[in-house]
Amino acid sequence: MNAPLNNTPGRADQIRRLQELTALLEAGDDTAFEARFASFLQARDQGLFVSVAKLTRSLHDAVRELRFDDRLSTLAGREIPDACSRLDYVAKVTEQAAHKTLDLVEECQKLTQDIALATHDLSAACQRAQAYSCSPYTLSGLVVSVDETRSHIVDTTTDLRERLSRLAQAQEYQDLAGQVIRKVTQLVKSVEGALIELLRASGGLTQGRAAESAEAVLHGPAIDGVTPAAVSQDDADSLLAELGF
Amino acid sequence: MDKNLKILIVDDFSTMRRIVKNLLHDLGYTNTHEADDGKTAWPLLQSGGFDFVVTDWNMPGMTGIDLLKAIRGEPRLAGLPVLMVTAEAQRDQIIEAAKAGVNGYIIKPFTAVTLKEKLDKIFQRLAEAA
């Protein structure tokens, strides 16, 4: 133990006290000896107590410094698992969006084939019209067939347009995934900051405390087990209705 | 409803702005303009001429809720209809938006049908109030 024991009687004082005790013992004054001996021991104990108390305090400070007001334990215990769930969510929505996009692309490809076939029918009809030198009978049959093909093309282009619209909407995952990734990025920065401070604290470079990380007030996309209970569009509608909307 | 309404779409994600724009165009509303957060939206709104605002909530710079409050606090804009389209789905947030005077609230992800419903409802109410 390198620290000097404060309040401990100095060496000369200890020698003097011990000599007094020897003298009392030699003189046979047991009562006085017992009293002085007890006070001598007490003085020594007190010094030790103070020293232990100081050590305890500095140890406590060091531990508190390292815990950064529980920030590290919060990061390790809650925020990292949160971040993992959030990234799982990103993986899920991007996968769903990719499938949705591919499904719609395949449907659109079939529809364009339909249109191609229909235009082929139309050109065949035109050739027939030319070949038949247009008797009224064949002409009316052709008109019906051409009209059917035309309405088929109109229907198919409507279907195509509807799918293209869904295709565009499927891209919304980028917004939702992007929001989640931003949150995880914030967490990574926070972990980095805590680690740097831990390094500084252990190297004794600074006594600085970690700056409070700005707690994000907004929760972003609802993720099971991560964000607080979220409501659905229907819940939101009835809530707004209750509020007079 | 007048399909030539001048609509401002406010969202920090350009993909979401495109999606909303696309859906609005499909519904016949082609006079759309865009801003990437409340801060850029505010001068556009002040310069006038907008009939409708579709805004996200969580944006850097100025959030959608702050934009909504600013709109309601500005006498010239106070009557502007605002539809919030956001991933924020907490009960308290919906109540906060309602208190701030939002006209409609759509939770992302959403469908074209939901957007149409909310727009129709807002216009119907405005027509009733007029």
Side-chain angles (χ1 to χ4, degrees), chain A residues 3-240:
Chain A
L5 297 177
N6 290 345
N7 299 337
T8 304
R11 199 173 178 79
D13 189 43
Q14 278 185 330
I15 292 170
R16 185 182 54 78
R17 282 180 164 229
L18 284 170
Q19 281 171 344
E20 279 174 11
L21 283 170
T22 314
L24 287 170
L25 209 55
E26 281 170 352
D29 191 345
D30 286 353
T31 320
F33 171 79
E34 288 299 333
R36 289 284 186 89
F37 189 54
S39 114
F40 174 76
L41 290 178
Q42 202 185 353
R44 265 194 73 84
D45 285 350
Q46 208 170 357
L48 195 64
F49 283 143
V50 170
S51 185
V52 170
K54 278 194 145 188
L55 266 177
T56 308
R57 161 65 57 192
S58 59
L59 190 65
H60 176 74
D61 286 349
V63 168
R64 202 180 53 186
E65 190 87 32
L66 289 180
R67 282 171 63 210
F68 301 119
D69 292 332
D70 296 328
R71 204 157 60 96
L72 282 180
S73 62
T74 309
L75 282 173
R78 200 189 66 199
E79 294 184 18
I80 301 279
D82 263 23
C84 293
S85 305
R86 285 180 192 280
L87 289 178
D88 286 345
Y89 171 81
V90 169
K92 197 179 81 185
V93 293
T94 48
E95 188 187 348
Q96 282 172 349
H99 283 303
K100 206 189 278 182
T101 304
L102 292 170
D103 288 348
L104 288 165
V105 166
E106 284 170 14
E107 286 176 33
C108 288
Q109 283 167 339
K110 276 185 201 141
L111 290 172
T112 54
Q113 279 171 1
D114 272 9
I115 293 174
L117 282 175
T119 50
H120 187 263
D121 285 352
L122 282 182
S123 62
C126 288
Q127 279 170 3
R128 260 182 288 152
Q130 282 168 344
Y132 287 141
S133 69
C134 297
S135 76
Y137 176 73
T138 50
L139 190 63
S140 75
L142 274 176
V143 167
V144 170
S145 138
V146 166
D147 194 54
E148 274 173 5
T149 311
R150 183 202 56 81
S151 75
H152 180 61
I153 292 177
V154 169
D155 289 350
T156 312
T157 49
T158 308
D159 285 354
L160 192 58
R161 187 177 165 74
E162 185 266 336
R163 277 165 183 75
L164 288 173
S165 178
R166 273 159 55 193
L167 200 53
Q169 212 194 343
Q171 309 314 309
E172 71 186 347
Y173 79 90
Q174 200 278 329
D175 170 15
L176 300 173
Q179 287 190 44
V180 170
I181 288 172
R182 274 188 194 166
K183 276 188 180 287
V184 176
T185 309
Q186 279 169 8
L187 171 71
V188 171
K189 280 184 187 152
S190 172
V191 171
E192 187 193 22
L195 287 176
I196 287 171
E197 285 194 40
L198 186 64
L199 206 60
R200 280 187 183 147
S202 61
L205 292 177
T206 175
Q207 298 287 312
R209 253 186 53 161
E212 288 290 313
S213 65
E215 184 69 29
V217 210
L218 297 170
H219 298 290
I223 300 167
D224 286 345
V226 178
T227 52
V231 302
S232 67
Q233 183 67 49
D234 286 345
D235 294 337
D237 291 347
S238 41
L239 181 59
L240 288 171

Side-chain angles (χ1 to χ4, degrees), chain A residues 161 165 168-169 171-172 174-175 178-179 182 218-221 228-233 236-237 239-240 243 245, chain B residues 12-13 15-16 19 22 26 57-58 87-91 93-94 98 102 105-112 118 125:
Chain A
R161 187 177 165 74
S165 178
Q169 212 194 343
Q171 309 314 309
E172 71 186 347
Q174 200 278 329
D175 170 15
Q179 287 190 44
R182 274 188 194 166
L218 297 170
H219 298 290
V231 302
S232 67
Q233 183 67 49
D237 291 347
L239 181 59
L240 288 171
L243 293 165
F245 278 78
Chain B
D12 53 332
F13 280 88
T15 43
M16 187 47 82
I19 289 166
N22 213 299
D26 261 3
W57 182 316
N58 188 5
E88 301 304 323
Q90 308 303 312
R91 211 183 138 80
Q93 291 171 310
I94 296 166
V102 82
Y105 199 102
I106 295 179
I107 295 170
K108 293 178 192 169
F110 65 101
T111 65
K118 300 305 161 209
R125 279 172 178 268

Side-chain angles (χ1 to χ4, degrees), chain B residues 59-79:
Chain B
M59 294 177 288
M62 185 182 190
T63 62
I65 191 78
D66 286 342
L67 179 66
L68 172 62
K69 287 173 184 168
I71 290 170
R72 293 291 174 259
E74 164 71 49
R76 287 190 303 127
L77 299 174

Side-chain angles (χ1 to χ4, degrees), chain B residues 28-104:
Chain B
Y29 301 101
T30 50
N31 190 4
T32 56
H33 300 258
E34 299 176 31
D36 61 5
D37 79 338
K39 244 182 201 167
T40 47
W42 187 238
L44 291 174
L45 291 174
Q46 279 185 315
S47 67
F50 281 96
D51 303 300
F52 200 91
V53 176
V54 179
T55 183
D56 183 23
W57 182 316
N58 188 5
M59 294 177 288
M62 185 182 190
T63 62
I65 191 78
D66 286 342
L67 179 66
L68 172 62
K69 287 173 184 168
I71 290 170
R72 293 291 174 259
E74 164 71 49
R76 287 190 303 127
L77 299 174
L80 190 60
V82 176
L83 173 63
M84 202 159 244
V85 179
T86 173
E88 301 304 323
Q90 308 303 312
R91 211 183 138 80
D92 292 350
Q93 291 171 310
I94 296 166
I95 294 172
E96 188 184 351
K99 282 184 179 160
V102 82
N103 297 79

